[in-house]
Amino acid sequence: MRLLDAELVETREILPRQWLQRYRAPWLAAGARAGQFVHVRTPDYSGLVLRRPISINTVDRVAGEITLHFRIAGKGTELLARARPGDTVPMLGPLGRPFEVDPRTHHVLLIAGGLGVAGVRFLVDESLEAGRQVTLLFGAATAGDVYPSTLLPDEVEYVVATEDGSLGQPGRVTDLLPAYEAWADQAFACGPYPMLSALASLAAGRQARLGVARLGRKRGTGRPVPPGSPQARRRSWLQVSMEQHMGCAVGACLGCVVWGVEGPLRVCREGPVFAAEEIAWEEPA
Amino acid sequence: MKRRRSIVTSGPRARSPYAGEPRLGLRAPRNRAGGVPGTPGAPETTAGTPAPGRAAGSGPSGYARVPGGAPSPVTGSNGMPVAGPVPGIAGAAVDLSVDLAPKRPGGLVLQNPVLVASGTFGYGIEYGEVVDVQRLGAICCKGTTLKPRAGNPPPRVTETPGGMLNSIGLQNPGVDAVIERYAPLWAGWQVPVLVNVAGESIDDYVGVAQRLDGVPGVAGIELNISCPNVGKGGLQFAVDRDAAAAVTAAVRRATDLPLLVKLSPNVTDIRPIARAIEDAGADAITAINTLSGIAIDRGTGRPLLGNVYGGLSGPAIRPVGLRIVYEVAQVVSIPVVAIGGISTLDDALDYLAAGAIAVQVGTAIFADPEVPLRLVDELRAYCAARGLSSHLPLVGTALPARPGRPSAKGVEYRP
Ligand SMILES: Cc1cc2nc3c(=O)[nH]c(=O)nc-3n(C[C@H](O)[C@H](O)[C@H](O)COP(=O)(O)OP(=O)(O)OC[C@H]3O[C@@H](n4cnc5c(N)ncnc54)[C@H](O)[C@@H]3O)c2cc1C
Ligand SMILES: Cc1cc2nc3c(=O)[nH]c(=O)nc-3n(C[C@H](O)[C@H](O)[C@H](O)COP(=O)(O)O)c2cc1C
Ligand code: FES
């Protein structure tokens, strides 16, 4: 984690009100892992007292660059979208815990709802780099919101669902899951809370439906894995990246909690990536 | 029983940050020194105009521990010309130390007057990778209660115009866990850590204070009688003069630790409460805590925060904080530590002028974790540029020359 000034190199609107920005930030590019985020201070800062959490969308370790992909959701993202190449944007990062892929996983299933694609996009690259097969299930309300396939590597199987049926499968992205749950060794999801919640209940029933052993089940004399640890996550079939309003983003203010089965969890510190089983889905979030 | 405790804990205290250090000569300014408790006393001249010509050597000289930062520039941070500075007063020669418990044996001496506010800096470790915490004046840790608390349902924070609302609900692992997990760490730190204490009954407060008493690494207590988030918790004590005095007195009896009491702005007239707290034995007053507020989720038309109510902080509350510090500083003789929307040197200077001898930075840390240490450096440079060997001559310049004048009218809400 470091405070740094990232220089905006390129900015463009890839979809209506959705921006893709490329920043020069060697420290982030070198150290960040898929699932982590940065806490961004918007350039024209007058009046805004909080930074904005944004996922690290991709990194180019060689060029020392990262990209952010965000939707204009209010004042902060509006100001960020107005930044021009050459501007420096203060960032704090990389923050939070990354996705943990089991070394034995070959088939990686990514599930993204809308802007959630920014939360799993980096994992596409990481997984391909590690020689894994990647399928990305993407859901949006309508064709106009669908993430452009040109922004994905060719090796990815890209499956789209739209709620109005204007592109791909009609329906929700969660409807696509059953067709892939047997294929996938592990699944990683980012999107709105109801989507993650639905996925979590699907995942909970998966084992019974398929009759498969859970990945990494303790064999023989294996040491018990502490809950919430990276090892525990690595063994979870479904990992979710969650959102919550944030103050500090370093674990100091306890502002960003979601309710876990064992009590409050800080999205910025214990998350944003959680094993689906860690979250108490029926509680408010 | 209380007597026994105080015998056990009196004598040389293992308060590590100052163990074995010479006592500093510098004390808090006594704006109202000699005043009969409960009535404003006559102001001393320390609160008057700065003395730009004060010689370097005339300041307290025994203070050898210069915080290990880069030497500050001699020119003022705001570009003001250096008006006839006495040669030799460079940034490093400015002694920003303050004693927040001048009445207490041993006091509570901070190397500088910039603290980080409770609830915004965790337990001092969370920002460790990006802030040199040892250079801070002091750290006020997250509100600590007798038993662990899970806190309020999310969402707990949201931005508002010029500020933010929070409704954390005093999530904390309980005093025993705080002592076990963090105090050993704090004991090895140069920066003093004040434990912010909250409770729902006097017994709760006393219980926490007794457990903290004598724990190495705990430099003092900041009593949060004003957290507006927890229905039963803070509000009752902070708004009621007698309850505020009672809890202060009870904690005072339970511990020899320096005791700071933190005021709520959600009251009609702060002055009788502040006076009662001083009379009950507080060493210093910190003010202000957050203002009670709510936000609406426009999507659903319902309250946004899980707890409905939140506490407002940030620049939006600065004028309120200034007013309360200004009022409190006129009626108490103990040090006042200002909190509320501080993010720049100018903000801090305003609060000093209103009568605070030290400041706490809270919400501003979220946007820029470097604010507190920048304030230390800028205040040092500001003093150096004006030939001041300390920031104390800047304290209380806004206070009325004669006591009693604004007080007689009560709080002025007339537009
Ligand atoms: C770990 C994490 C990663 C994220 N990654 C991305 C990303 O890659 N792309 C993207 O478009 N968005 C992402 N978000 C959501 C993004 O933070 C919000 O859209 C953004 O903060 C909205 O700010 P605003 O000023 O435009 O909106 P406003 O509504 O004006 O914001 C008001 C306040 O609410 C907070 N807020 C509002 N919505 C959210 C939200 N969904 N999550 C957290 N805080 C919120 C803001 O930070 C701000 O403090 C992420 C959120 C988190 C927690
Ligand atoms: C997220 C958050 C948590 C807080 N928690 C506490 C607390 O536990 N105890 C307390 O006395 N004050 C708490 N406060 C109040 C601050 O210490 C401070 O009094 C207030 O925020 C005003 O200062 P500021 O405007 O600089 O933030 C909290 C404030 C915030 C923003
Ligand atoms: S945002 Fe402060 S603890 Fe997560």
Side-chain angles (χ1 to χ4, degrees), chain B residues 88-130:
Chain B
I89 296 193
V94 177
D95 179 0
L96 293 178
S97 66
V98 286
D99 187 351
L100 296 187
K103 290 196 298 201
R104 205 112 289 269
L108 173 60
V109 182
L110 314 187
Q111 61 185 340
N112 68 63
V114 182
L115 298 79
V116 286
S118 173
T120 62
F121 211 74
Y123 296 91
I125 53 173
E126 294 81 356
Y127 276 107
E129 284 177 56
V130 289

Side-chain angles (χ1 to χ4, degrees), chain A residues 253, chain B residues 117-120 142-143 157 164 166 168 170 196 222 224 262 288-290 313-315 317 339-342 360-364 366:
Chain A
C253 74
Chain B
S118 173
T120 62
K142 176 66 191 164
V157 296
M164 66 177 283
N166 85 82
I168 309 301
L170 290 175
N196 184 277
E222 181 182 49
N224 173 13
K262 185 166 177 177
I288 56 177
N289 212 311
T290 54
S313 62
I317 72 168
I339 326 167
I342 297 169
Q360 294 189 14
V361 181
T363 302
F366 299 157

Side-chain angles (χ1 to χ4, degrees), chain A residues 1-3 41 45 47-52 92 244-248 250-255 257 259 264 269 284-285, chain B residues 119-122 126-127 129-130 150-159 162-164 168 171 315 366-370:
Chain A
M1 179 203 315
R2 202 179 264 191
L3 282 163
R41 195 171 168 181
Y45 209 65
L48 299 189
V49 305
L50 296 178
R51 291 178 178 237
R52 301 300 194 255
L92 174 63
Q244 188 53 273
H245 288 220
M246 289 188 177
C248 65
V250 302
C253 74
L254 306 173
V257 306
W259 233 260
R269 200 74 176 199
Chain B
T120 62
F121 211 74
E126 294 81 356
Y127 276 107
E129 284 177 56
V130 289
N152 287 333
R156 291 176 170 185
V157 296
T158 191
E159 202 178 53
M164 66 177 283
I168 309 301
Q171 179 184 333
F366 299 157
D368 185 355
E370 291 176 330

Side-chain angles (χ1 to χ4, degrees), chain A residues 10 58 77-78 92 99 111 118 156 173 189 196 206:
Chain A
E10 188 194 350
T58 59
T77 43
E78 168 95 55
L92 174 63
F99 291 108
I111 307 145
V156 179
V173 68
L196 299 180
R206 173 180 177 267

